[in-house]
Amino acid sequence: MNSITLQDLANLLTSKSIATALVGDPSCQVYGCACDSRAVESGNLFVCKGAAFKPVFLDAALGAGAVAYLCAAERESELALQAPGIPHLVCTDLRKAMAYVSAAAWGYPDQDLTIIGVTGTKGKTTTTCLIRSMLDSVLPRPCAFMGTHDIFDGVNTYESANTTPEAPDLWRYLAHAKEAGLTHVVMEVSSQALKYDRTLGVHFSVGCFLNIGHDHISPVEHPSFEDYLDSKLRIFDQATTCVVNLDTDHYAEVARALATSNSTALTYSLDNPAANVYGSCIKPQQGGTRFVAHTPQGASKVFIDLLGAHNVEDALAAIACVEASGVDGLQCTKILSNVRVPGRMELFSTADKRLTAIVDYAHNDVSYRRFFETVKQYFPTAYIISLFGVSGGKALDRYEDLPRIGSQFSDYVILTSDDPGPIDPTTLLDEISAYVAPDTPYEKIPYRPQARLRAFELAQAQAAQDKTPVVMCLLGKADEGSVRIHNIDVPQESDVSASAHMIAWYDAVHKED
């Protein structure tokens, strides 16, 4: 990777109408960029950002090999005293500046990569996992990947801190992917990433818009639904081809935004033949779903190891994205029958079929309705025990939506901790319990492992007294191995692991029945 001078970066920011001052040696050579001192590589420009930033982080970055730094004007005096003589850039719009200098410092690797970005209220993780698996089955090298749970850049695999990384990290991963000889990148693109310029400057070969629902509306996220939707729609301005769900809510607004962009549109639909890619003959079968996928290349029978029409919709989105990237989507659909999407409608059933645990990441009104409608379709007579909570201090609509929808579809509800964050877990459960349906019995158990055991106890008792199948729904955390309380990530067994253990225990106890 070639280096770039601090003067070149200053000129770049000025060309983007960002007021910038250069202090120190303008010929300082920069290789790459970082905003986390723990990720600094030799020659990096270090970005001093965030309300929680401390001057000691700059010391750590310089000690790790950073040669210059970028900061906001209000921090310049403090940091200049902390690191005297170190060349630096001072700017007025740090977020935009960080994105532009990251792209330049890492050598604009997006120009040599086919990047598929997927945004939407629900389905990003499933869709990107399916795209990745399809492309991996036909390309000579694996895809780089950035998602909610993990990142693969051709060099290493990392645990994700955000759905979409901050700009310096994102461009570093793209640079690594290029250096490793990879050709394709699949990534989830969050509304926060689009709103706060994490993806600014990234050229998406394909930008996919899945759907939109009322979520992430809070003082610390999006102040209104309009802001949330507008943020999502920004992906169109960065994409060559836009894959759009013909069935999404607010399609008129989506279509208007698409029309004002310079992108080519490729539409998909669950079952509308007016779309470029659509499904037909959708039928549940053997723990999954079978359907026929129609594309401009023809039609093919497809089986996915996932339940529900919403997962078929996500599979069709994935096929459309693969098509838009220049690969025949139908030639790689066979791989979909073997794809496991962690924490998405994962079923654990006892040998006698009396009790089933279903684990899912569902965490907003759209995903809750999809989840419970699917459960009712596959288990129409089941007694349903649901266990869930909400994240504290954000997406405030969920405080009402999740207990209201969850209790509407359930025979018994156990409210427990999701990620209570800054709010006392007991106080949070007291608040959301007001929205449980009056005729649905419920309990409040803040400690999630204890809540799971209580759900299992109730499920066993119900299965013992009635031949009706029992379904335990564990929502929100899936295979996450911790819960965030205040600023502490407290380790705990994941819902996926605990469900497997509980079902195994039941089978062992009832082996001779």
Side-chain angles (χ1 to χ4, degrees):
M1 182 184 69
N2 295 325
S3 65
I4 189 169
T5 69
L6 214 55
Q7 183 65 65
D8 290 333
L9 293 177
N11 294 343
L12 171 65
L13 295 182
T14 300
S15 74
K16 299 296 184 181
S17 300
I18 299 174
T20 305
L22 192 162
V23 180
D25 181 7
S27 66
C28 176
Q29 297 286 321
V30 170
Y31 301 83
C33 183
C35 60
D36 184 335
S37 60
R38 296 165 296 185
V40 166
E41 299 174 8
S42 180
N44 278 182
L45 173 76
F46 183 64
V47 182
C48 306
K49 75 162 193 76
F53 184 84
K54 299 177 182 178
V56 292
F57 297 161
L58 176 56
D59 286 342
L62 295 171
V67 295
Y69 63 91
L70 169 69
C71 68
E74 59 268 22
R75 301 298 296 266
E76 199 267 340
S77 297
E78 175 189 21
L79 295 176
L81 289 174
Q82 183 77 16
I86 300 298
H88 55 278
L89 298 173
V90 186
C91 68
T92 53
D93 189 335
L94 187 61
R95 279 216 157 266
K96 278 189 168 62
M98 178 170 66
Y100 287 129
V101 301
S102 295
W106 286 111
Y108 299 104
D110 60 326
Q111 296 176 358
D112 299 300
L113 297 166
T114 297
I115 303 177
I116 301 173
V118 178
T119 196
T121 300
K122 182 59 180 172
K124 294 187 295 296
T125 299
T126 298
T127 303
T128 51
C129 283
L130 297 178
I131 296 169
R132 179 188 190 182
S133 296
M134 292 171 71
L135 291 176
D136 281 352
S137 72
V138 295
L139 295 176
R141 300 296 306 275
C143 288
F145 184 81
M146 297 182 223
T148 299
H149 305 296
D150 67 304
I151 293 164
F152 170 69
D153 65 359
V155 177
N156 286 304
T157 298
Y158 314 85
E159 185 176 345
S160 300
N162 297 304
T163 298
T164 310
E166 289 285 6
D169 299 323
L170 189 158
W171 287 99
R172 181 175 76 252
Y173 298 139
L174 294 179
H176 287 176
K178 176 186 173 181
E179 291 166 7
L182 308 190
T183 58
H184 287 65
V185 180
V186 182
M187 59 183 291
E188 296 183 47
V189 183
S190 69
S191 60
Q192 296 284 294
L194 290 161
K195 178 181 174 71
Y196 293 112
D197 298 319
R198 293 181 203 162
T199 58
L200 180 66
V202 176
H203 170 247
F204 294 108
S205 302
V206 181
C208 178
F209 185 96
L210 297 173
N211 47 55
I212 191 73
H214 286 262
D215 196 26
H216 297 290
I217 314 299
S218 75
V220 297
E221 295 174 287
H222 296 278
S224 66
F225 174 76
E226 290 72 23
D227 181 77
Y228 177 48
L229 175 58
D230 288 346
S231 297
K232 290 283 190 190
L233 295 176
R234 288 185 186 184
I235 197 170
F236 293 162
D237 295 327
Q238 297 177 232
T240 299
T241 301
C242 293
V243 171
V244 179
N245 184 357
L246 209 58
D247 305 325
T248 183
D249 289 345
H250 299 275
Y251 181 75
E253 294 98 309
V254 174
R256 280 196 296 270
L258 184 58
T260 60
S261 72
N262 294 318
S263 303
T264 301
L266 181 72
T267 59
Y268 74 95
S269 168
L270 181 65
D271 54 11
N272 186 348
N276 301 113
V277 175
Y278 66 95
S280 66
C281 305
I282 302 167
K283 297 179 181 178
Q285 184 174 334
Q286 298 175 349
T289 311
R290 192 170 296 280
F291 63 98
V292 175
H294 302 263
T295 79
Q297 311 304 321
S300 178
K301 293 180 179 179
V302 180
F303 177 80
I304 55 173
D305 192 22
L306 295 163
L307 304 181
H310 60 287
N311 283 314
V312 174
E313 192 173 56
D314 292 341
L316 290 163
I319 292 169
C321 286
V322 171
E323 285 276 328
S325 73
V327 176
D328 183 351
L330 295 182
Q331 75 169 339
C332 45
T333 54
K334 286 185 179 180
I335 193 68
L336 295 179
S337 63
N338 299 317
V339 178
R340 172 188 174 259
V341 183
R344 264 61 183 183
M345 294 295 291
E346 290 206 57
L347 272 65
F348 302 87
S349 296
T350 58
D352 61 12
K353 305 301 180 185
R354 299 291 302 280
L355 197 161
T356 298
I358 307 179
V359 180
D360 196 89
Y361 269 111
H363 60 273
N364 58 37
D365 63 336
V366 175
S367 57
Y368 261 50
R369 290 194 181 280
R370 287 178 165 187
F371 174 84
F372 283 111
E373 287 168 0
T374 300
V375 170
K376 286 293 187 181
Q377 177 187 6
Y378 282 80
F379 301 93
T381 64
Y383 183 90
I384 297 175
I385 300 170
S386 296
L387 179 151
F388 57 86
V390 300
S391 296
K394 59 182 182 179
L396 303 182
D397 286 350
R398 297 179 190 174
Y399 284 34
E400 177 179 350
D401 291 341
L402 303 196
R404 177 174 50 79
I405 297 169
S407 60
Q408 173 189 341
F409 284 95
S410 303
D411 296 290
Y412 203 99
V413 165
I414 297 179
L415 300 175
T416 190
S417 294
D418 189 299
D419 280 319
I423 301 177
D424 175 75
T426 300
T427 300
L428 187 56
L429 297 190
D430 289 341
E431 185 169 351
I432 69 173
S433 67
Y435 300 104
V436 173
D439 56 348
T440 303
Y442 71 92
E443 298 179 37
K444 297 177 290 185
I445 305 176
Y447 185 46
R448 196 175 185 98
Q450 182 182 350
R452 287 192 301 244
L453 290 175
R454 176 58 175 158
F456 186 46
E457 177 186 14
L458 292 169
Q460 290 183 96
Q462 184 67 29
Q465 71 181 25
D466 194 336
K467 292 185 178 181
T468 300
V470 180
V471 174
M472 290 192 305
C473 303
L474 292 81
L475 302 177
K477 297 294 286 180
D479 64 351
E480 292 180 5
S482 65
V483 58
R484 174 156 286 237
I485 301 176
H486 300 297
N487 291 321
I488 301 171
D489 288 322
V490 181
Q492 66 177 22
E493 186 178 15
S494 72
D495 286 350
V496 168
S497 175
S499 296
H501 291 159
M502 288 187 291
I503 296 302
W505 189 91
Y506 178 101
D507 283 342
V509 169
H510 295 85
K511 187 175 182 180
E512 302 302 325
D513 289 1

